[in-house]
Amino acid sequence: MSRLTAGVVLVTAHEPPLDPEGPRGEDVGMTATSFMSVSLDPPLVMVSLREGSRMDDLLAEQPLWAVSLLSENQRQVAGRFAMKGRVSDRLLFADLPYDRGEVSGAPLVGGALATLECRTEQRVTAGDHTLVIGRVLAAAVPGADGGPLAYFRGRYRQLG
């Protein structure tokens, strides 16, 4: 499967605080290459999450999430959120330019080719992964320069 070229996205969600009176919840993010459009009517997308990952656990409870389609200039963003044994998500977002989605409350990364805000419609267990199908509630094309960031044979690549 390493010979299949895939687009690279950042999936994000906002973890609400346990106590509404307490400190603000935390933003969570992960790099994904298993992402696709499922349907235009209604607008549905799908992402594959490793079962038991922090994002899988969060989206089992929190139905709202977002996707930033990364540009070829965002290799460092993809690498940052793909690291195993990484630092806390709070630190990963610390110096990253982003806007907060009006619908999902999730981070929408600056410089992305497009952003989507989604609500989970269905979760399907498939081996050691969960396929999360989401309805697109809002979409934007912020006008980033360049082409898409791709992943091929274990490396990030530029197309063209």
Side-chain angles (χ1 to χ4, degrees), residues 79-96:
R80 175 190 293 200
F81 284 89
M83 293 185 303
K84 294 183 193 277
R86 62 187 193 205
V87 297
S88 77
D89 284 270
R90 189 175 315 259
L91 291 175
L92 292 175
F93 283 101
D95 63 346
L96 185 69

PDB file of all heavy atoms in Angstrom, residues 79-96:
ATOM      1  N   GLY A  79       4.176  16.388   9.629  1.00  0.00           N
ATOM      2  CA  GLY A  79       5.132  15.649  10.439  1.00  0.00           C
ATOM      3  C   GLY A  79       4.932  15.853  11.930  1.00  0.00           C
ATOM      4  O   GLY A  79       5.047  14.916  12.720  1.00  0.00           O
ATOM      5  N   ARG A  80       4.622  17.065  12.305  1.00  0.00           N
ATOM      6  CA  ARG A  80       4.421  17.395  13.719  1.00  0.00           C
ATOM      7  C   ARG A  80       3.286  16.574  14.322  1.00  0.00           C
ATOM      8  O   ARG A  80       3.396  16.038  15.413  1.00  0.00           O
ATOM      9  CB  ARG A  80       4.093  18.889  13.831  1.00  0.00           C
ATOM     10  CG  ARG A  80       3.746  19.339  15.226  1.00  0.00           C
ATOM     11  CD  ARG A  80       3.197  20.743  15.249  1.00  0.00           C
ATOM     12  NE  ARG A  80       4.194  21.733  14.875  1.00  0.00           N
ATOM     13  CZ  ARG A  80       4.091  23.025  15.177  1.00  0.00           C
ATOM     14  NH1 ARG A  80       3.045  23.473  15.844  1.00  0.00           N
ATOM     15  NH2 ARG A  80       5.012  23.869  14.815  1.00  0.00           N
ATOM     16  N   PHE A  81       2.177  16.464  13.602  1.00  0.00           N
ATOM     17  CA  PHE A  81       1.006  15.775  14.146  1.00  0.00           C
ATOM     18  C   PHE A  81       1.019  14.270  13.884  1.00  0.00           C
ATOM     19  O   PHE A  81       0.133  13.560  14.322  1.00  0.00           O
ATOM     20  CB  PHE A  81      -0.278  16.409  13.604  1.00  0.00           C
ATOM     21  CG  PHE A  81      -0.602  17.714  14.257  1.00  0.00           C
ATOM     22  CD1 PHE A  81      -0.102  18.906  13.752  1.00  0.00           C
ATOM     23  CD2 PHE A  81      -1.383  17.768  15.398  1.00  0.00           C
ATOM     24  CE1 PHE A  81      -0.388  20.119  14.357  1.00  0.00           C
ATOM     25  CE2 PHE A  81      -1.675  18.964  16.014  1.00  0.00           C
ATOM     26  CZ  PHE A  81      -1.177  20.149  15.500  1.00  0.00           C
ATOM     27  N   ALA A  82       2.029  13.786  13.171  1.00  0.00           N
ATOM     28  CA  ALA A  82       2.143  12.350  12.888  1.00  0.00           C
ATOM     29  C   ALA A  82       3.118  11.649  13.825  1.00  0.00           C
ATOM     30  O   ALA A  82       3.180  10.427  13.836  1.00  0.00           O
ATOM     31  CB  ALA A  82       2.604  12.144  11.441  1.00  0.00           C
ATOM     32  N   MET A  83       3.877  12.401  14.615  1.00  0.00           N
ATOM     33  CA  MET A  83       4.906  11.810  15.480  1.00  0.00           C
ATOM     34  C   MET A  83       4.296  10.885  16.527  1.00  0.00           C
ATOM     35  O   MET A  83       3.316  11.246  17.176  1.00  0.00           O
ATOM     36  CB  MET A  83       5.691  12.901  16.197  1.00  0.00           C
ATOM     37  CG  MET A  83       6.541  13.743  15.297  1.00  0.00           C
ATOM     38  SD  MET A  83       7.556  14.913  16.215  1.00  0.00           S
ATOM     39  CE  MET A  83       6.360  15.849  17.139  1.00  0.00           C
ATOM     40  N   LYS A  84       4.899   9.715  16.690  1.00  0.00           N
ATOM     41  CA  LYS A  84       4.501   8.811  17.770  1.00  0.00           C
ATOM     42  C   LYS A  84       5.218   9.256  19.037  1.00  0.00           C
ATOM     43  O   LYS A  84       6.348   9.708  18.987  1.00  0.00           O
ATOM     44  CB  LYS A  84       4.896   7.387  17.420  1.00  0.00           C
ATOM     45  CG  LYS A  84       4.136   6.831  16.240  1.00  0.00           C
ATOM     46  CD  LYS A  84       4.542   5.399  16.000  1.00  0.00           C
ATOM     47  CE  LYS A  84       4.082   4.906  14.693  1.00  0.00           C
ATOM     48  NZ  LYS A  84       2.947   4.441  14.356  1.00  0.00           N
ATOM     49  N   GLY A  85       4.551   9.128  20.176  1.00  0.00           N
ATOM     50  CA  GLY A  85       5.163   9.521  21.434  1.00  0.00           C
ATOM     51  C   GLY A  85       5.427  11.016  21.492  1.00  0.00           C
ATOM     52  O   GLY A  85       6.373  11.471  22.092  1.00  0.00           O
ATOM     53  N   ARG A  86       4.569  11.770  20.831  1.00  0.00           N
ATOM     54  CA  ARG A  86       4.767  13.206  20.722  1.00  0.00           C
ATOM     55  C   ARG A  86       4.422  13.942  22.015  1.00  0.00           C
ATOM     56  O   ARG A  86       3.869  13.364  22.933  1.00  0.00           O
ATOM     57  CB  ARG A  86       3.920  13.749  19.581  1.00  0.00           C
ATOM     58  CG  ARG A  86       2.440  13.539  19.833  1.00  0.00           C
ATOM     59  CD  ARG A  86       1.640  13.926  18.634  1.00  0.00           C
ATOM     60  NE  ARG A  86       0.233  14.003  19.015  1.00  0.00           N
ATOM     61  CZ  ARG A  86      -0.739  13.861  18.183  1.00  0.00           C
ATOM     62  NH1 ARG A  86      -0.501  13.630  16.926  1.00  0.00           N
ATOM     63  NH2 ARG A  86      -1.982  13.949  18.585  1.00  0.00           N
ATOM     64  N   VAL A  87       4.709  15.220  21.994  1.00  0.00           N
ATOM     65  CA  VAL A  87       4.352  16.061  23.134  1.00  0.00           C
ATOM     66  C   VAL A  87       2.843  16.273  23.136  1.00  0.00           C
ATOM     67  O   VAL A  87       2.143  15.832  22.238  1.00  0.00           O
ATOM     68  CB  VAL A  87       5.093  17.422  23.057  1.00  0.00           C
ATOM     69  CG1 VAL A  87       6.590  17.217  23.140  1.00  0.00           C
ATOM     70  CG2 VAL A  87       4.731  18.172  21.794  1.00  0.00           C
ATOM     71  N   SER A  88       2.338  16.980  24.116  1.00  0.00           N
ATOM     72  CA  SER A  88       0.897  17.177  24.233  1.00  0.00           C
ATOM     73  C   SER A  88       0.342  17.949  23.033  1.00  0.00           C
ATOM     74  O   SER A  88       1.043  18.749  22.405  1.00  0.00           O
ATOM     75  CB  SER A  88       0.564  17.930  25.522  1.00  0.00           C
ATOM     76  OG  SER A  88       0.858  19.300  25.366  1.00  0.00           O
ATOM     77  N   ASP A  89      -0.922  17.688  22.743  1.00  0.00           N
ATOM     78  CA  ASP A  89      -1.578  18.412  21.649  1.00  0.00           C
ATOM     79  C   ASP A  89      -1.552  19.921  21.902  1.00  0.00           C
ATOM     80  O   ASP A  89      -1.432  20.695  20.969  1.00  0.00           O
ATOM     81  CB  ASP A  89      -3.023  17.919  21.496  1.00  0.00           C
ATOM     82  CG  ASP A  89      -3.085  16.569  20.804  1.00  0.00           C
ATOM     83  OD1 ASP A  89      -3.170  16.555  19.575  1.00  0.00           O
ATOM     84  OD2 ASP A  89      -3.050  15.535  21.496  1.00  0.00           O
ATOM     85  N   ARG A  90      -1.653  20.323  23.142  1.00  0.00           N
ATOM     86  CA  ARG A  90      -1.631  21.753  23.471  1.00  0.00           C
ATOM     87  C   ARG A  90      -0.358  22.403  22.929  1.00  0.00           C
ATOM     88  O   ARG A  90      -0.391  23.470  22.335  1.00  0.00           O
ATOM     89  CB  ARG A  90      -1.744  21.949  24.975  1.00  0.00           C
ATOM     90  CG  ARG A  90      -1.936  23.383  25.397  1.00  0.00           C
ATOM     91  CD  ARG A  90      -2.158  23.467  26.901  1.00  0.00           C
ATOM     92  NE  ARG A  90      -3.091  22.466  27.379  1.00  0.00           N
ATOM     93  CZ  ARG A  90      -4.368  22.713  27.660  1.00  0.00           C
ATOM     94  NH1 ARG A  90      -4.843  23.903  27.517  1.00  0.00           N
ATOM     95  NH2 ARG A  90      -5.152  21.750  28.093  1.00  0.00           N
ATOM     96  N   LEU A  91       0.780  21.739  23.111  1.00  0.00           N
ATOM     97  CA  LEU A  91       2.042  22.284  22.609  1.00  0.00           C
ATOM     98  C   LEU A  91       2.116  22.229  21.084  1.00  0.00           C
ATOM     99  O   LEU A  91       2.711  23.104  20.455  1.00  0.00           O
ATOM    100  CB  LEU A  91       3.227  21.529  23.214  1.00  0.00           C
ATOM    101  CG  LEU A  91       3.451  21.748  24.707  1.00  0.00           C
ATOM    102  CD1 LEU A  91       4.577  20.862  25.208  1.00  0.00           C
ATOM    103  CD2 LEU A  91       3.737  23.210  25.008  1.00  0.00           C
ATOM    104  N   LEU A  92       1.510  21.211  20.466  1.00  0.00           N
ATOM    105  CA  LEU A  92       1.534  21.106  19.008  1.00  0.00           C
ATOM    106  C   LEU A  92       0.798  22.269  18.352  1.00  0.00           C
ATOM    107  O   LEU A  92       1.166  22.725  17.279  1.00  0.00           O
ATOM    108  CB  LEU A  92       0.920  19.777  18.557  1.00  0.00           C
ATOM    109  CG  LEU A  92       1.718  18.535  18.924  1.00  0.00           C
ATOM    110  CD1 LEU A  92       0.945  17.286  18.532  1.00  0.00           C
ATOM    111  CD2 LEU A  92       3.075  18.542  18.250  1.00  0.00           C
ATOM    112  N   PHE A  93      -0.246  22.750  18.990  1.00  0.00           N
ATOM    113  CA  PHE A  93      -1.031  23.860  18.447  1.00  0.00           C
ATOM    114  C   PHE A  93      -0.468  25.226  18.843  1.00  0.00           C
ATOM    115  O   PHE A  93      -0.893  26.247  18.303  1.00  0.00           O
ATOM    116  CB  PHE A  93      -2.491  23.771  18.914  1.00  0.00           C
ATOM    117  CG  PHE A  93      -3.304  22.746  18.185  1.00  0.00           C
ATOM    118  CD1 PHE A  93      -3.565  21.516  18.762  1.00  0.00           C
ATOM    119  CD2 PHE A  93      -3.813  23.012  16.918  1.00  0.00           C
ATOM    120  CE1 PHE A  93      -4.326  20.568  18.095  1.00  0.00           C
ATOM    121  CE2 PHE A  93      -4.566  22.074  16.250  1.00  0.00           C
ATOM    122  CZ  PHE A  93      -4.828  20.841  16.839  1.00  0.00           C
ATOM    123  N   ALA A  94       0.489  25.266  19.783  1.00  0.00           N
ATOM    124  CA  ALA A  94       0.949  26.513  20.391  1.00  0.00           C
ATOM    125  C   ALA A  94       1.380  27.580  19.389  1.00  0.00           C
ATOM    126  O   ALA A  94       0.967  28.723  19.498  1.00  0.00           O
ATOM    127  CB  ALA A  94       2.075  26.233  21.382  1.00  0.00           C
ATOM    128  N   ASP A  95       2.177  27.254  18.395  1.00  0.00           N
ATOM    129  CA  ASP A  95       2.656  28.271  17.448  1.00  0.00           C
ATOM    130  C   ASP A  95       2.103  28.053  16.035  1.00  0.00           C
ATOM    131  O   ASP A  95       2.640  28.577  15.073  1.00  0.00           O
ATOM    132  CB  ASP A  95       4.186  28.291  17.423  1.00  0.00           C
ATOM    133  CG  ASP A  95       4.777  26.985  16.938  1.00  0.00           C
ATOM    134  OD1 ASP A  95       4.044  25.979  16.872  1.00  0.00           O
ATOM    135  OD2 ASP A  95       5.978  26.956  16.629  1.00  0.00           O
ATOM    136  N   LEU A  96       1.044  27.291  15.930  1.00  0.00           N
ATOM    137  CA  LEU A  96       0.443  26.979  14.633  1.00  0.00           C
ATOM    138  C   LEU A  96      -0.665  27.981  14.327  1.00  0.00           C
ATOM    139  O   LEU A  96      -1.590  28.139  15.132  1.00  0.00           O
ATOM    140  CB  LEU A  96      -0.134  25.559  14.674  1.00  0.00           C
ATOM    141  CG  LEU A  96      -0.692  25.014  13.383  1.00  0.00           C
ATOM    142  CD1 LEU A  96       0.433  24.773  12.387  1.00  0.00           C
ATOM    143  CD2 LEU A  96      -1.432  23.706  13.657  1.00  0.00           C
TER     144      LEU A  96
END
